Amino acid sequence: MNKKIQLLDLGQKDYKETWEYQEDLFKDILDLKIRNRREELELETPNYFLFVEHPHVYTLGKSGDLSNLLLSEKQLEDKGATFYKINRGGDITYHGPGQIVGYPILDLENFFTDIHKYLRFLEEVFIRVLADYGLTGTRSEGETGVWLGVGTPFARKICALGVRASRWVTMHGFALNVNSDLGYFDNIIPCGIRGKAVTSLNVELGIEEVDVAEVKEKIKKHFTELFESQFVAFQKETV
């Protein structure tokens, strides 16, 4: 089992370009797994992890409800935002500047074959990151992601998750609000959940800006601990 994960920080990149790149990496792993099975080989499958920050974009999961987008095409254009229907689970969400987005493209057969466990591990990464900042992040029953104030009238989501998996290979991932402009969430019903707010790390800490590089280091630390893995330099040709 290969527990090394090739790490690449794409900086700020268009959502559609990044999605296509994810698909390429995802397909490469699937193709190798199919070849292994067909030819009775045991070639090592790679794992990837992409960090990225997207320009303003709304994405709707395959089971999502388009009515949860509260903007017309013209209003989207006026806000400098784009919109895509995509092939992950979950409903509608927003990505934009000040948010850390991560796409683990893993062959779970290198780790464990349990999608439920995978999602819980992703949540646990951010529960631990928030704890590093003195915040109590928790799960909310039936609502994937990480929340603050669950069980109170002030429940608010700080980290969204949405994944796709095929033959135990994952893509898509998480979005953690760090220094996000929360006004953009007013244009959707986030994740299709009414009556609950969205928050950002800088808001919770009462400061203007959180060090994004520091947060990424904490994510990497907790991710590798939970997945008993190691990040290594990215080896595949990048976009």
Side-chain angles (χ1 to χ4, degrees):
M1 294 194 294
N2 175 27
K3 290 182 175 285
K4 292 181 179 177
I5 304 173
Q6 297 181 43
L7 175 68
L8 178 64
D9 193 327
L10 293 169
Q12 188 172 96
K13 185 166 283 292
D14 174 76
Y15 185 86
K16 188 168 187 293
E17 284 182 46
T18 310
W19 182 17
E20 290 170 350
Y21 188 46
Q22 274 195 84
E23 290 277 13
D24 287 344
L25 297 175
F26 181 78
K27 183 177 182 299
D28 284 350
I29 301 174
L30 283 179
D31 287 349
L32 182 54
K33 294 188 75 167
I34 292 168
R35 184 185 169 200
N36 277 342
R37 183 166 299 181
R38 184 178 296 146
E39 300 179 19
E40 297 184 351
L41 301 173
E42 294 186 3
L43 300 173
E44 190 175 81
T45 53
N47 306 291
Y48 304 103
F49 189 111
L50 308 178
F51 273 128
V52 67
E53 180 184 79
H54 293 305
H56 302 296
V57 60
Y58 297 99
T59 69
L60 183 70
K62 59 188 176 183
S63 59
D65 185 344
L66 186 57
S67 67
N68 289 326
L69 174 65
L70 308 179
L71 297 174
S72 67
E73 193 172 324
K74 176 67 166 58
Q75 288 171 318
L76 276 170
E77 187 178 320
D78 290 345
K79 289 186 173 295
T82 52
F83 170 75
Y84 295 102
K85 291 182 180 179
I86 62 172
N87 58 355
R88 60 160 170 79
D91 205 284
I92 197 163
T93 196
Y94 159 78
H95 299 311
Q99 187 184 67
I100 296 176
V101 176
Y103 299 126
I105 306 164
L106 311 178
D107 179 1
L108 288 183
E109 288 193 300
N110 287 324
F111 303 93
F112 48 77
T113 50
D114 185 331
I115 294 297
H116 178 80
K117 181 177 178 179
Y118 175 63
L119 288 168
R120 302 295 80 78
F121 268 33
L122 288 182
E123 290 168 342
E124 184 63 25
V125 168
F126 297 99
I127 289 170
R128 293 185 183 189
V129 169
L130 293 173
D132 288 341
Y133 288 95
L135 299 172
T136 304
T138 57
R139 298 175 179 87
S140 180
E141 188 174 349
E143 298 170 337
T144 302
V146 179
W147 300 72
L148 297 165
V150 170
T152 76
F154 308 106
R156 53 218 184 271
K157 194 171 195 175
I158 194 166
C159 183
L161 303 180
V163 304
R164 175 191 174 197
S166 177
R167 295 178 184 263
W168 300 114
V169 181
T170 68
M171 65 177 289
H172 299 296
F174 64 82
L176 176 68
N177 300 328
V178 180
N179 300 307
S180 303
D181 180 346
L182 299 177
Y184 277 82
F185 285 97
D186 294 339
N187 304 312
I188 59 174
I189 300 170
C191 304
I193 301 169
R194 295 179 182 273
K196 288 188 179 178
V198 177
T199 191
S200 190
L201 187 55
N202 66 327
V203 170
E204 295 298 323
L205 296 177
I207 60 178
E208 186 173 341
E209 188 169 327
V210 177
D211 184 339
V212 169
E214 179 183 84
V215 180
K216 286 179 180 176
E217 287 302 314
K218 293 181 185 299
I219 293 170
K220 287 158 58 178
K221 174 180 180 291
H222 294 302
F223 191 95
T224 53
E225 286 175 352
L226 281 162
F227 285 82
E228 298 179 345
S229 59
Q230 175 188 358
F231 282 124
V232 298
F234 201 85
Q235 297 164 0
K236 189 175 174 64
E237 183 179 345
T238 60
V239 286

